[in-house]
Amino acid sequence: MPKLSIIAFDGTHYDFDVQNGSTVMENAVRNSVPGIEAECGGACACATCHVYVDEVWSAAVGAPEAMEEDMLDFAYDVKPTSRLSCQIKMNDSLDGLVVHVPERQA
């Protein structure tokens, strides 16, 4: 089981063992991580699960695809490591992934 760390805007760490194939958003919602609203339920149709991938993990996670990139236009304070957490599927190669929740969602 890969490990996932989500760091809330206030600095609180949420650490989980997660299932391969689950998304960062699913794990955040399941565990009530503050700041991840996920209004569309993971359909890549909103920008309310926006996170910043820790720079160390940016290359491993990869760049957003076109549809996600379009949705990021609606996110608050987009940065080069911005991703929608509904589009990041956990697997063994992402064991230890760290993401940060922005100050607010769009």
Side-chain angles (χ1 to χ4, degrees):
M1 283 188 136
K3 295 191 181 312
L4 168 65
S5 293
I6 303 174
I7 303 173
F9 184 74
D10 69 1
T12 304
H13 286 245
Y14 296 85
D15 299 314
F16 311 107
D17 291 322
V18 301
Q19 294 290 322
N20 278 320
S22 66
T23 66
V24 171
M25 184 232 37
E26 290 167 338
N27 289 290
V29 169
R30 186 177 303 120
N31 292 286
S32 302
V33 174
I36 302 292
E37 297 170 16
E39 290 176 1
C40 74
C44 197
C46 71
T48 62
C49 68
H50 174 219
V51 295
Y52 305 120
V53 175
D54 195 271
E55 288 187 17
V56 172
W57 287 97
S58 188
V61 171
E65 292 188 13
M67 187 166 79
E68 179 184 355
E69 208 166 87
D70 289 344
M71 291 312 308
L72 282 167
D73 288 341
F74 299 101
Y76 173 76
D77 194 24
V78 175
K79 297 180 180 179
T81 61
S82 287
R83 290 293 307 269
L84 297 181
S85 60
C86 67
Q87 299 301 297
I88 304 172
K89 286 195 177 190
M90 294 300 298
N91 60 59
D92 289 335
S93 70
L94 295 180
D95 182 26
L97 176 65
V98 177
V99 300
H100 302 264
V101 179
E103 179 180 6
R104 65 181 177 90
Q105 297 293 344

